[in-house]
Amino acid sequence: MTDTKKSATLSFDGKSFELPIYSPTAGPDVLDIRKLYAQAGVFTYDPGFTSTASCDSTITYIDGIKGELLHRGYPIDQLAGKSHYLEVCYLLLYGNLPSAAELEEFEDRVTRHTMLHEQMMYLFRGFRRDAHPMAIITGAVGAMSAFYHDSLDITDPWQREVASVRMIAKMPTIVSMAYKYTLGQPFVYPRNDLDYASNFLRMCFAVPAEEYEVNPILSRAMDRIFTLHADHEQNASTSTVRLASSSGANPFACIAAGVACLWGPSHGGANQACLEMLKEIGTVDRIPEFIARAKDKDDPFRLMGFGHRVYKNTDPRATVLKQSADEVLELLGVENNPILQVAKELEKQAISDPYFAEKKLFPNVDFYSGIILEAMGFPTSMFTPIFALSRTVGWISQWKEMIADPQNKIGRPRQLYLGETTRDYVDIEDR
Ligand code: ACO
Protein backbone atom coordinates (compact mmCIF):
# COMPACT_ATOMS: atom_id res chain seq x y z
CA MET A 1 0.00 0.00 0.00
CA THR A 2 1.27 3.50 -0.84
CA ASP A 3 0.89 6.42 1.51
CA THR A 4 -0.45 8.99 -0.95
CA LYS A 5 -0.06 11.90 1.50
CA LYS A 6 -3.75 12.39 0.67
CA SER A 7 -6.30 12.43 3.43
CA ALA A 8 -10.01 12.88 3.90
CA THR A 9 -11.54 15.19 6.47
CA LEU A 10 -14.41 13.97 8.58
CA SER A 11 -16.42 16.65 10.35
CA PHE A 12 -18.27 15.44 13.38
CA ASP A 13 -19.63 17.10 16.53
CA GLY A 14 -18.06 20.43 15.59
CA LYS A 15 -14.58 18.88 15.20
CA SER A 16 -12.56 17.77 12.17
CA PHE A 17 -10.61 14.57 11.87
CA GLU A 18 -8.04 13.69 9.21
CA LEU A 19 -8.24 10.18 7.78
CA PRO A 20 -5.14 9.01 5.82
CA ILE A 21 -5.77 7.63 2.33
CA TYR A 22 -3.73 4.76 0.87
CA SER A 23 -3.50 3.77 -2.78
CA PRO A 24 -3.42 0.08 -3.71
CA THR A 25 -1.57 -1.21 -6.81
CA ALA A 26 -5.04 -1.77 -8.31
CA GLY A 27 -8.54 -0.88 -7.20
CA PRO A 28 -10.05 2.03 -5.26
CA ASP A 29 -8.20 4.10 -2.65
CA VAL A 30 -8.70 3.12 0.98
CA LEU A 31 -9.52 5.39 3.93
CA ASP A 32 -7.67 4.44 7.11
CA ILE A 33 -10.17 4.59 9.99
CA ARG A 34 -8.08 2.66 12.52
CA LYS A 35 -7.70 5.65 14.87
CA LEU A 36 -11.25 6.91 14.34
CA TYR A 37 -12.76 5.57 17.56
CA ALA A 38 -9.80 6.69 19.67
CA GLN A 39 -9.89 10.18 18.19
CA ALA A 40 -13.57 10.84 17.41
CA GLY A 41 -15.34 8.30 19.66
CA VAL A 42 -17.44 6.87 16.80
CA PHE A 43 -17.58 3.52 15.06
CA THR A 44 -18.25 2.92 11.35
CA TYR A 45 -21.27 0.81 10.40
CA ASP A 46 -20.89 -1.69 7.54
CA PRO A 47 -22.87 -4.94 7.94
CA GLY A 48 -21.75 -7.44 5.30
CA PHE A 49 -18.48 -5.50 4.89
CA THR A 50 -19.58 -4.00 1.57
CA SER A 51 -17.20 -1.02 1.93
CA THR A 52 -14.57 -2.35 4.31
CA ALA A 53 -11.06 -3.60 3.48
CA SER A 54 -10.27 -5.97 6.34
CA CYS A 55 -6.58 -6.50 5.49
CA ASP A 56 -3.90 -5.78 2.95
CA SER A 57 -3.01 -8.62 0.63
CA THR A 58 -0.80 -9.37 -2.39
CA ILE A 59 -2.43 -12.62 -3.48
CA THR A 60 -5.58 -12.10 -5.53
CA TYR A 61 -7.23 -9.11 -7.19
CA ILE A 62 -10.75 -8.87 -8.59
CA ASP A 63 -12.02 -6.06 -10.77
CA GLY A 64 -15.76 -6.63 -10.55
CA ILE A 65 -16.60 -4.09 -13.24
CA LYS A 66 -14.11 -5.40 -15.81
CA GLY A 67 -14.84 -9.01 -14.81
CA GLU A 68 -11.16 -9.62 -14.10
CA LEU A 69 -9.63 -12.11 -11.65
CA LEU A 70 -5.85 -12.06 -11.11
CA HIS A 71 -3.74 -14.41 -9.02
CA ARG A 72 -0.42 -12.70 -8.21
CA GLY A 73 -1.13 -10.61 -11.33
CA TYR A 74 -1.87 -13.49 -13.73
CA PRO A 75 -5.39 -13.51 -15.32
CA ILE A 76 -7.49 -16.56 -14.42
CA ASP A 77 -8.30 -17.41 -18.06
CA GLN A 78 -4.56 -17.70 -18.83
CA LEU A 79 -4.00 -19.86 -15.76
CA ALA A 80 -7.02 -22.07 -16.59
CA GLY A 81 -5.85 -22.44 -20.20
CA LYS A 82 -2.07 -22.80 -19.81
CA SER A 83 -1.29 -23.80 -16.24
CA HIS A 84 -2.57 -26.52 -13.92
CA TYR A 85 -3.80 -26.69 -10.33
CA LEU A 86 -0.57 -27.54 -8.50
CA GLU A 87 1.34 -24.85 -10.36
CA VAL A 88 -1.40 -22.36 -9.38
CA CYS A 89 -1.08 -23.61 -5.79
CA TYR A 90 2.63 -22.81 -5.90
CA LEU A 91 1.89 -19.37 -7.36
CA LEU A 92 -0.67 -18.56 -4.66
CA LEU A 93 1.52 -19.85 -1.83
CA TYR A 94 4.88 -18.41 -2.85
CA GLY A 95 4.05 -15.42 -5.08
CA ASN A 96 5.69 -16.39 -8.40
CA LEU A 97 5.42 -19.08 -11.05
CA PRO A 98 7.87 -21.90 -10.24
CA SER A 99 10.84 -22.96 -12.34
CA ALA A 100 10.63 -26.54 -13.66
CA ALA A 101 12.82 -27.76 -10.77
CA GLU A 102 10.79 -25.86 -8.15
CA LEU A 103 7.54 -27.26 -9.53
CA GLU A 104 8.87 -30.81 -9.54
CA GLU A 105 10.06 -30.46 -5.94
CA PHE A 106 6.70 -28.96 -4.85
CA GLU A 107 4.64 -31.64 -6.62
CA ASP A 108 6.82 -34.30 -5.05
CA ARG A 109 6.27 -32.83 -1.56
CA VAL A 110 2.49 -32.63 -2.03
CA THR A 111 2.36 -36.17 -3.44
CA ARG A 112 4.24 -37.58 -0.45
CA HIS A 113 1.70 -36.20 2.01
CA THR A 114 -1.47 -37.62 0.43
CA MET A 115 -2.07 -40.45 2.93
CA LEU A 116 -4.10 -39.86 6.08
CA HIS A 117 -3.19 -41.12 9.53
CA GLU A 118 -4.77 -44.59 9.60
CA GLN A 119 -6.49 -43.83 12.91
CA MET A 120 -8.61 -41.24 11.09
CA MET A 121 -10.57 -44.13 9.49
CA TYR A 122 -12.32 -44.57 12.82
CA LEU A 123 -13.35 -40.95 12.81
CA PHE A 124 -15.08 -41.44 9.44
CA ARG A 125 -16.75 -44.60 10.67
CA GLY A 126 -18.34 -42.69 13.56
CA PHE A 127 -20.57 -40.75 11.17
CA ARG A 128 -23.99 -41.85 9.96
CA ARG A 129 -23.85 -43.12 6.37
CA ASP A 130 -26.47 -40.56 5.31
CA ALA A 131 -24.39 -37.62 6.59
CA HIS A 132 -23.76 -34.84 4.07
CA PRO A 133 -20.10 -35.12 2.96
CA MET A 134 -19.57 -31.48 4.02
CA ALA A 135 -20.50 -32.45 7.61
CA ILE A 136 -17.88 -35.22 7.54
CA ILE A 137 -15.25 -32.98 5.90
CA THR A 138 -15.76 -30.15 8.42
CA GLY A 139 -15.20 -32.68 11.23
CA ALA A 140 -12.27 -34.44 9.56
CA VAL A 141 -10.37 -31.24 8.76
CA GLY A 142 -10.77 -29.97 12.33
CA ALA A 143 -9.74 -33.40 13.63
CA MET A 144 -6.41 -33.14 11.81
CA SER A 145 -5.33 -30.95 14.75
CA ALA A 146 -5.49 -34.10 16.85
CA PHE A 147 -3.24 -36.08 14.49
CA TYR A 148 -0.51 -33.75 13.25
CA HIS A 149 0.99 -32.23 16.40
CA ASP A 150 4.20 -31.34 14.59
CA SER A 151 2.49 -28.69 12.43
CA LEU A 152 0.39 -26.82 14.99
CA ASP A 153 2.86 -24.19 16.16
CA ILE A 154 1.91 -21.16 14.10
CA THR A 155 4.93 -19.16 15.31
CA ASP A 156 7.29 -21.60 13.52
CA PRO A 157 7.53 -20.88 9.75
CA TRP A 158 8.57 -24.48 9.03
CA GLN A 159 5.52 -25.89 10.82
CA ARG A 160 3.32 -23.46 8.90
CA GLU A 161 4.87 -24.73 5.68
CA VAL A 162 4.32 -28.39 6.63
CA ALA A 163 0.70 -27.68 7.65
CA SER A 164 0.11 -25.95 4.28
CA VAL A 165 1.44 -28.84 2.22
CA ARG A 166 -0.43 -31.36 4.38
CA MET A 167 -3.74 -29.58 3.88
CA ILE A 168 -3.37 -29.36 0.09
CA ALA A 169 -2.17 -32.97 -0.14
CA LYS A 170 -4.73 -34.57 2.18
CA MET A 171 -7.86 -32.68 1.18
CA PRO A 172 -8.54 -34.92 -1.90
CA THR A 173 -8.14 -37.97 0.33
CA ILE A 174 -10.54 -36.58 2.96
CA VAL A 175 -13.14 -35.49 0.37
CA SER A 176 -13.07 -38.80 -1.51
CA MET A 177 -13.27 -40.76 1.76
CA ALA A 178 -16.31 -38.73 2.83
CA TYR A 179 -17.88 -39.67 -0.53
CA LYS A 180 -16.98 -43.37 -0.33
CA TYR A 181 -18.30 -43.51 3.20
CA THR A 182 -21.70 -42.14 2.22
CA LEU A 183 -21.83 -44.68 -0.64
CA GLY A 184 -20.99 -47.55 1.67
CA GLN A 185 -17.96 -48.46 -0.47
CA PRO A 186 -14.42 -49.22 0.76
CA PHE A 187 -12.02 -46.29 1.01
CA VAL A 188 -9.56 -46.10 -1.90
CA TYR A 189 -6.01 -45.13 -0.89
CA PRO A 190 -4.12 -42.44 -2.84
CA ARG A 191 -1.74 -43.41 -5.67
CA ASN A 192 1.38 -41.29 -5.91
CA ASP A 193 2.09 -42.13 -9.55
CA LEU A 194 -1.03 -40.18 -10.60
CA ASP A 195 -1.37 -36.44 -10.94
CA TYR A 196 -3.45 -34.51 -8.40
CA ALA A 197 -6.76 -34.53 -10.32
CA SER A 198 -6.42 -38.12 -11.62
CA ASN A 199 -5.64 -39.37 -8.13
CA PHE A 200 -8.77 -37.65 -6.79
CA LEU A 201 -10.98 -39.13 -9.54
CA ARG A 202 -9.57 -42.59 -8.86
CA MET A 203 -10.13 -42.28 -5.10
CA CYS A 204 -13.75 -41.28 -5.81
CA PHE A 205 -14.67 -43.74 -8.56
CA ALA A 206 -12.41 -46.82 -8.27
CA VAL A 207 -13.48 -49.96 -6.41
CA PRO A 208 -11.13 -52.74 -5.26
CA ALA A 209 -13.01 -55.30 -7.38
CA GLU A 210 -11.79 -53.96 -10.72
CA GLU A 211 -9.15 -51.87 -12.45
CA TYR A 212 -9.94 -48.18 -12.89
CA GLU A 213 -8.49 -46.16 -15.72
CA VAL A 214 -8.59 -42.40 -15.38
CA ASN A 215 -10.02 -40.69 -18.44
CA PRO A 216 -7.45 -37.94 -19.24
CA ILE A 217 -10.19 -35.65 -20.56
CA LEU A 218 -12.08 -35.87 -17.28
CA SER A 219 -8.87 -35.42 -15.35
CA ARG A 220 -8.13 -32.22 -17.28
CA ALA A 221 -11.70 -30.95 -16.67
CA MET A 222 -11.36 -31.76 -12.95
CA ASP A 223 -8.04 -29.93 -12.77
CA ARG A 224 -9.61 -26.90 -14.45
CA ILE A 225 -12.45 -26.84 -11.91
CA PHE A 226 -9.86 -26.98 -9.09
CA THR A 227 -7.88 -24.14 -10.74
CA LEU A 228 -10.91 -21.89 -11.24
CA HIS A 229 -11.90 -22.18 -7.58
CA ALA A 230 -8.41 -21.88 -6.06
CA ASP A 231 -8.77 -18.42 -4.49
CA HIS A 232 -11.08 -15.43 -4.56
CA GLU A 233 -9.61 -12.80 -2.19
CA GLN A 234 -11.57 -11.83 0.94
CA ASN A 235 -14.82 -13.78 0.39
CA ALA A 236 -16.91 -15.09 3.32
CA SER A 237 -15.03 -18.36 3.91
CA THR A 238 -11.59 -16.77 3.49
CA SER A 239 -12.52 -13.97 5.88
CA THR A 240 -13.76 -16.67 8.27
CA VAL A 241 -10.36 -18.40 8.07
CA ARG A 242 -8.59 -15.09 8.71
CA LEU A 243 -10.86 -14.18 11.63
CA ALA A 244 -10.48 -17.64 13.19
CA SER A 245 -6.71 -17.51 12.82
CA SER A 246 -6.50 -13.98 14.25
CA SER A 247 -6.99 -15.57 17.67
CA GLY A 248 -3.93 -17.78 17.13
CA ALA A 249 -5.98 -20.95 16.48
CA ASN A 250 -4.12 -23.79 14.74
CA PRO A 251 -4.27 -24.07 10.91
CA PHE A 252 -6.51 -27.14 10.78
CA ALA A 253 -9.09 -25.53 13.10
CA CYS A 254 -9.03 -22.37 10.93
CA ILE A 255 -9.52 -24.28 7.66
CA ALA A 256 -12.37 -26.27 9.27
CA ALA A 257 -14.03 -22.90 10.01
CA GLY A 258 -13.62 -21.96 6.34
CA VAL A 259 -15.15 -25.27 5.21
CA ALA A 260 -18.15 -24.70 7.49
CA CYS A 261 -18.70 -21.19 6.08
CA LEU A 262 -18.37 -22.39 2.50
CA TRP A 263 -21.23 -24.86 3.03
CA GLY A 264 -23.92 -22.14 2.97
CA PRO A 265 -26.16 -21.81 -0.13
CA SER A 266 -25.15 -18.15 -0.67
CA HIS A 267 -21.52 -19.24 -1.00
CA GLY A 268 -20.10 -22.67 -1.91
CA GLY A 269 -23.45 -24.41 -1.53
CA ALA A 270 -24.77 -22.47 -4.53
CA ASN A 271 -23.51 -24.99 -7.12
CA GLN A 272 -25.59 -27.77 -5.53
CA ALA A 273 -28.59 -25.42 -5.21
CA CYS A 274 -28.12 -24.31 -8.84
CA LEU A 275 -28.19 -27.81 -10.32
CA GLU A 276 -31.20 -28.70 -8.18
CA MET A 277 -32.92 -25.56 -9.50
CA LEU A 278 -32.09 -26.44 -13.14
CA LYS A 279 -33.56 -29.92 -12.61
CA GLU A 280 -36.65 -28.44 -11.00
CA ILE A 281 -37.11 -26.18 -14.03
CA GLY A 282 -36.65 -29.33 -16.13
CA THR A 283 -37.72 -28.03 -19.54
CA VAL A 284 -37.08 -24.83 -21.46
CA ASP A 285 -40.78 -23.88 -21.58
CA ARG A 286 -40.86 -23.47 -17.77
CA ILE A 287 -38.04 -20.88 -17.68
CA PRO A 288 -40.32 -17.77 -17.82
CA GLU A 289 -42.18 -19.01 -14.73
CA PHE A 290 -38.92 -19.22 -12.73
CA ILE A 291 -37.65 -15.89 -14.00
CA ALA A 292 -40.92 -14.31 -12.90
CA ARG A 293 -40.53 -15.89 -9.45
CA ALA A 294 -36.94 -14.57 -9.14
CA LYS A 295 -38.21 -11.05 -9.90
CA ASP A 296 -41.16 -11.22 -7.50
CA LYS A 297 -40.36 -9.27 -4.29
CA ASP A 298 -42.85 -11.44 -2.32
CA ASP A 299 -41.17 -14.69 -3.37
CA PRO A 300 -37.86 -15.54 -1.63
CA PHE A 301 -36.77 -17.58 -4.68
CA ARG A 302 -33.54 -16.40 -6.38
CA LEU A 303 -31.93 -17.68 -9.53
CA MET A 304 -29.12 -19.77 -8.10
CA GLY A 305 -25.80 -19.34 -9.86
CA PHE A 306 -26.72 -15.73 -10.67
CA GLY A 307 -25.33 -12.59 -9.07
CA HIS A 308 -22.15 -11.83 -7.19
CA ARG A 309 -21.12 -9.38 -4.51
CA VAL A 310 -18.08 -8.23 -6.51
CA TYR A 311 -18.61 -9.12 -10.20
CA LYS A 312 -21.10 -6.74 -11.74
CA ASN A 313 -20.54 -7.50 -15.40
CA THR A 314 -19.26 -11.01 -15.92
CA ASP A 315 -17.64 -13.71 -13.79
CA PRO A 316 -14.51 -14.73 -15.77
CA ARG A 317 -14.63 -18.19 -14.18
CA ALA A 318 -18.15 -18.74 -15.55
CA THR A 319 -16.93 -17.92 -19.08
CA VAL A 320 -14.23 -20.61 -18.89
CA LEU A 321 -16.61 -23.13 -17.34
CA LYS A 322 -19.31 -22.60 -19.95
CA GLN A 323 -16.76 -23.62 -22.60
CA SER A 324 -15.62 -26.56 -20.44
CA ALA A 325 -19.22 -27.72 -20.02
CA ASP A 326 -19.62 -27.88 -23.80
CA GLU A 327 -16.34 -29.77 -24.24
CA VAL A 328 -16.87 -32.28 -21.43
CA LEU A 329 -20.44 -33.09 -22.39
CA GLU A 330 -19.51 -33.49 -26.03
CA LEU A 331 -16.62 -35.79 -25.16
CA LEU A 332 -18.89 -37.84 -22.95
CA GLY A 333 -21.43 -37.97 -25.78
CA VAL A 334 -24.13 -36.18 -23.76
CA GLU A 335 -24.07 -32.81 -25.50
CA ASN A 336 -27.85 -32.90 -25.76
CA ASN A 337 -28.12 -33.05 -21.99
CA PRO A 338 -31.49 -31.39 -21.19
CA ILE A 339 -30.09 -29.64 -18.10
CA LEU A 340 -27.38 -27.95 -20.20
CA GLN A 341 -30.07 -26.84 -22.66
CA VAL A 342 -32.12 -25.39 -19.77
CA ALA A 343 -29.01 -23.66 -18.36
CA LYS A 344 -28.08 -22.05 -21.68
CA GLU A 345 -31.62 -20.87 -22.39
CA LEU A 346 -32.05 -19.60 -18.82
CA GLU A 347 -28.83 -17.60 -19.13
CA LYS A 348 -30.01 -16.16 -22.47
CA GLN A 349 -33.43 -15.16 -21.18
CA ALA A 350 -32.20 -13.79 -17.84
CA ILE A 351 -29.41 -11.60 -19.21
CA SER A 352 -31.78 -10.03 -21.73
CA ASP A 353 -34.35 -9.29 -19.01
CA PRO A 354 -34.20 -5.67 -17.70
CA TYR A 355 -34.47 -6.83 -14.04
CA PHE A 356 -31.20 -8.79 -14.23
CA ALA A 357 -29.50 -6.17 -16.39
CA GLU A 358 -30.39 -3.32 -13.99
CA LYS A 359 -29.23 -5.24 -10.94
CA LYS A 360 -26.13 -6.41 -12.81
CA LEU A 361 -26.87 -10.11 -12.25
CA PHE A 362 -24.86 -12.51 -14.44
CA PRO A 363 -24.07 -16.23 -14.22
CA ASN A 364 -21.39 -16.87 -11.60
CA VAL A 365 -18.90 -19.76 -11.34
CA ASP A 366 -21.55 -22.05 -9.87
CA PHE A 367 -23.86 -21.82 -12.85
CA TYR A 368 -21.94 -24.26 -15.08
CA SER A 369 -19.71 -26.15 -12.61
CA GLY A 370 -22.57 -28.36 -11.41
CA ILE A 371 -23.44 -29.48 -14.93
CA ILE A 372 -19.84 -30.58 -15.55
CA LEU A 373 -19.53 -32.31 -12.19
CA GLU A 374 -22.77 -34.20 -12.71
CA ALA A 375 -21.68 -35.30 -16.19
CA MET A 376 -18.47 -36.60 -14.60
CA GLY A 377 -20.54 -38.79 -12.28
CA PHE A 378 -20.59 -36.77 -9.05
CA PRO A 379 -23.85 -36.46 -7.09
CA THR A 380 -24.93 -32.92 -6.13
CA SER A 381 -23.85 -33.50 -2.51
CA MET A 382 -20.22 -33.63 -3.73
CA PHE A 383 -20.25 -30.26 -5.47
CA THR A 384 -19.53 -28.15 -2.39
CA PRO A 385 -16.88 -30.62 -1.11
CA ILE A 386 -15.06 -30.27 -4.45
CA PHE A 387 -15.22 -26.50 -4.08
CA ALA A 388 -13.77 -26.84 -0.55
CA LEU A 389 -10.95 -29.04 -1.85
CA SER A 390 -10.09 -26.49 -4.55
CA ARG A 391 -10.30 -23.46 -2.23
CA THR A 392 -8.07 -25.00 0.45
CA VAL A 393 -4.97 -23.51 -1.19
CA GLY A 394 -6.58 -20.05 -1.19
CA TRP A 395 -7.46 -20.32 2.49
CA ILE A 396 -3.96 -21.57 3.32
CA SER A 397 -2.23 -18.85 1.27
CA GLN A 398 -4.29 -16.11 2.92
CA TRP A 399 -3.70 -17.67 6.34
CA LYS A 400 0.08 -17.78 5.77
CA GLU A 401 0.08 -14.19 4.59
CA MET A 402 -1.85 -13.09 7.64
CA ILE A 403 0.31 -14.92 10.18
CA ALA A 404 3.49 -13.45 8.67
CA ASP A 405 2.05 -9.91 8.77
CA PRO A 406 3.42 -7.90 11.73
CA GLN A 407 0.14 -5.91 11.77
CA ASN A 408 -1.79 -9.10 12.56
CA LYS A 409 -4.05 -8.64 15.58
CA ILE A 410 -7.20 -10.36 16.80
CA GLY A 411 -10.26 -9.48 14.70
CA ARG A 412 -12.90 -7.82 16.84
CA PRO A 413 -15.70 -5.96 15.00
CA ARG A 414 -17.82 -3.47 16.96
CA GLN A 415 -21.62 -3.08 16.81
CA LEU A 416 -24.50 -0.65 16.63
CA TYR A 417 -26.28 -1.69 19.83
CA LEU A 418 -30.07 -1.33 19.68
CA GLY A 419 -31.06 -3.43 22.71
CA GLU A 420 -32.23 -2.53 26.22
CA THR A 421 -30.09 -0.26 28.34
CA THR A 422 -29.30 -1.16 31.97
CA ARG A 423 -32.30 -2.52 33.89
CA ASP A 424 -32.61 -4.31 37.23
CA TYR A 425 -33.10 -8.07 37.45
CA VAL A 426 -36.68 -9.01 38.45
CA ASP A 427 -37.21 -12.08 40.66
CA ILE A 428 -39.19 -14.82 38.90
CA GLU A 429 -42.22 -14.54 41.20
CA ASP A 430 -42.50 -10.83 40.42
CA ARG A 431 -42.57 -11.11 36.58
N1 ACO B 1 -31.93 -13.82 -8.34
C1 ACO B 1 -32.83 -12.81 -8.25
N2 ACO B 1 -32.55 -11.61 -7.68
C2 ACO B 1 -31.32 -11.45 -7.15
C3 ACO B 1 -30.34 -12.45 -7.22
C4 ACO B 1 -30.68 -13.67 -7.85
N3 ACO B 1 -29.79 -14.67 -7.93
N4 ACO B 1 -29.20 -12.00 -6.61
C5 ACO B 1 -29.46 -10.76 -6.20
N5 ACO B 1 -30.73 -10.42 -6.53
C6 ACO B 1 -31.36 -9.12 -6.29
C7 ACO B 1 -31.76 -8.97 -4.82
O1 ACO B 1 -33.08 -9.39 -4.59
C8 ACO B 1 -31.55 -7.48 -4.59
O2 ACO B 1 -32.68 -6.84 -5.11
P1 ACO B 1 -33.19 -5.44 -4.41
O3 ACO B 1 -32.07 -4.47 -4.58
O4 ACO B 1 -34.40 -5.10 -5.20
O5 ACO B 1 -33.45 -5.79 -2.98
C9 ACO B 1 -30.38 -7.12 -5.49
O6 ACO B 1 -30.37 -8.12 -6.53
C10 ACO B 1 -29.03 -7.14 -4.76
O7 ACO B 1 -28.91 -8.38 -4.07
P2 ACO B 1 -28.06 -8.59 -2.75
O8 ACO B 1 -28.46 -9.87 -2.10
O9 ACO B 1 -28.13 -7.35 -1.93
O10 ACO B 1 -26.61 -8.70 -3.36
P3 ACO B 1 -25.36 -9.28 -2.63
O11 ACO B 1 -24.17 -8.71 -3.30
O12 ACO B 1 -25.47 -9.12 -1.16
O13 ACO B 1 -25.48 -10.86 -2.92
C11 ACO B 1 -25.28 -13.04 -3.80
C12 ACO B 1 -24.71 -11.60 -3.77
C13 ACO B 1 -25.40 -13.60 -2.37
C14 ACO B 1 -24.31 -13.93 -4.57
C15 ACO B 1 -26.67 -13.02 -4.49
O14 ACO B 1 -26.58 -12.51 -5.80
C16 ACO B 1 -27.34 -14.39 -4.48
O15 ACO B 1 -28.01 -14.75 -3.50
N6 ACO B 1 -27.18 -15.20 -5.59
C17 ACO B 1 -27.70 -16.53 -5.64
C18 ACO B 1 -26.78 -17.47 -4.88
C19 ACO B 1 -25.48 -17.74 -5.59
O16 ACO B 1 -25.44 -18.02 -6.79
N7 ACO B 1 -24.37 -17.68 -4.83
C20 ACO B 1 -23.02 -17.95 -5.35
C21 ACO B 1 -22.12 -16.78 -5.20
S1 ACO B 1 -20.57 -17.09 -5.96
C22 ACO B 1 -19.72 -18.00 -4.86
O17 ACO B 1 -19.88 -18.03 -3.69
C23 ACO B 1 -18.70 -18.86 -5.45
Side-chain angles (χ1 to χ4, degrees):
M1 104 187 135
T2 321
D3 189 345
T4 56
K5 308 279 179 244
K6 281 195 287 183
S7 65
T9 308
L10 173 77
S11 299
F12 174 70
D13 245 1
K15 289 188 208 134
S16 289
F17 303 92
E18 288 302 303
L19 303 174
I21 296 180
Y22 305 125
S23 282
T25 48
D29 282 353
V30 172
L31 282 180
D32 181 351
I33 56 160
R34 279 176 295 179
K35 296 202 175 116
L36 186 65
Y37 177 55
Q39 291 175 348
V42 284
F43 297 145
T44 55
Y45 181 58
D46 186 18
F49 307 116
T50 54
S51 301
T52 298
S54 60
C55 60
D56 46 68
S57 180
T58 60
I59 302 173
T60 291
Y61 174 70
I62 302 172
D63 185 326
I65 308 295
K66 277 201 330 215
E68 183 177 66
L69 168 62
L70 307 177
H71 292 321
R72 305 285 191 183
Y74 297 101
I76 190 66
D77 52 324
Q78 290 184 24
L79 294 173
K82 297 182 177 177
S83 182
H84 64 276
Y85 184 66
L86 280 187
E87 186 176 63
V88 172
C89 289
Y90 185 100
L91 175 68
L92 289 167
L93 283 168
Y94 306 114
N96 285 304
L97 288 171
S99 66
E102 285 167 337
L103 182 61
E104 193 185 330
E105 190 273 336
F106 177 68
E107 290 188 336
D108 189 58
R109 260 193 305 145
V110 170
T111 304
R112 286 177 196 284
H113 277 287
T114 48
M115 273 172 43
L116 277 186
H117 193 294
E118 192 65 13
Q119 194 70 11
M120 282 190 78
M121 306 297 154
Y122 298 100
L123 178 90
F124 281 82
R125 295 200 164 103
F127 284 95
R128 281 170 56 138
R129 293 270 179 192
D130 60 358
H132 193 289
M134 281 299 278
I136 302 178
I137 295 162
T138 311
V141 172
M144 284 175 76
S145 339
F147 289 90
Y148 301 102
H149 300 292
D150 58 347
S151 45
L152 297 181
D153 180 359
I154 61 164
T155 63
D156 177 349
W158 176 244
Q159 294 204 26
R160 298 205 293 265
E161 178 63 25
V162 176
S164 306
V165 170
R166 276 197 172 128
M167 282 299 328
I168 294 165
K170 293 185 198 306
M171 206 55 178
T173 316
I174 290 177
V175 170
S176 58
M177 280 172 66
Y179 177 46
K180 285 295 193 192
Y181 186 75
T182 58
L183 287 180
Q185 290 185 2
F187 298 132
V188 176
Y189 286 88
R191 276 247 316 255
N192 290 355
D193 58 328
L194 295 175
D195 64 71
Y196 194 84
S198 302
N199 177 48
F200 175 65
L201 287 174
R202 186 178 168 277
M203 287 192 293
C204 287
F205 296 124
V207 287
E210 51 191 65
E211 283 303 316
Y212 176 81
E213 271 212 24
V214 184
N215 180 334
I217 291 147
L218 294 189
S219 166
R220 175 77 195 121
M222 189 78 260
D223 191 86
R224 188 173 277 184
I225 287 180
F226 291 160
T227 302
L228 289 172
H229 290 82
D231 190 42
H232 216 225
E233 54 117 307
Q234 310 312 320
N235 56 83
S237 56
T238 303
S239 298
T240 300
V241 170
R242 280 186 178 258
L243 195 56
S245 85
S246 76
S247 72
N250 76 64
F252 305 113
C254 297
I255 302 301
V259 174
C261 177
L262 188 81
W263 196 357
S266 296
H267 194 6
N271 51 13
Q272 173 170 350
C274 178
L275 194 80
E276 283 162 359
M277 176 195 75
L278 293 172
K279 285 184 175 167
E280 195 191 339
I281 297 175
T283 48
V284 169
D285 57 302
R286 294 191 66 207
I287 290 173
E289 177 198 328
F290 282 81
I291 290 191
R293 282 187 60 196
K295 289 158 56 175
D296 181 354
K297 282 266 149 262
D298 300 323
D299 189 331
F301 173 77
R302 285 186 167 197
L303 279 191
M304 299 315 286
F306 262 77
H308 198 274
R309 171 61 61 79
V310 182
Y311 295 120
K312 297 299 173 198
N313 184 345
T314 173
D315 180 339
R317 303 166 301 171
T319 314
V320 178
L321 274 182
K322 185 178 179 179
Q323 198 191 335
S324 260
D326 279 329
E327 283 166 15
V328 170
L329 269 60
E330 194 189 326
L331 289 163
L332 292 173
V334 284
E335 64 269 38
N336 292 325
N337 175 310
I339 302 300
L340 183 66
Q341 306 309 323
V342 170
K344 283 188 169 172
E345 187 55 29
L346 177 62
E347 176 182 0
K348 211 157 96 192
Q349 292 190 24
I351 58 176
S352 55
D353 187 300
Y355 172 93
F356 294 90
E358 270 159 32
K359 295 188 187 302
K360 301 191 186 323
L361 301 170
F362 294 86
N364 59 44
V365 68
D366 296 316
F367 195 68
Y368 284 104
S369 63
I371 297 169
I372 304 176
L373 290 173
E374 189 182 64
M376 291 169 90
F378 287 107
T380 49
S381 61
M382 278 296 283
F383 295 0
T384 316
I386 288 169
F387 190 165
L389 186 175
S390 322
R391 183 54 58 83
T392 296
V393 67
W395 293 328
I396 280 285
S397 305
Q398 304 266 352
W399 169 80
K400 277 183 82 182
E401 180 179 65
M402 180 179 173
I403 301 281
D405 183 351
Q407 292 192 94
N408 178 20
K409 53 160 76 177
I410 188 162
R412 189 13 177 129
R414 308 306 283 253
Q415 62 174 1
L416 168 63
Y417 178 67
L418 298 173
E420 298 287 348
T421 51
T422 313
R423 50 180 171 168
D424 287 326
Y425 180 82
V426 179
D427 290 330
I428 197 158
E429 59 274 16
D430 298 331
R431 283 175 221 161

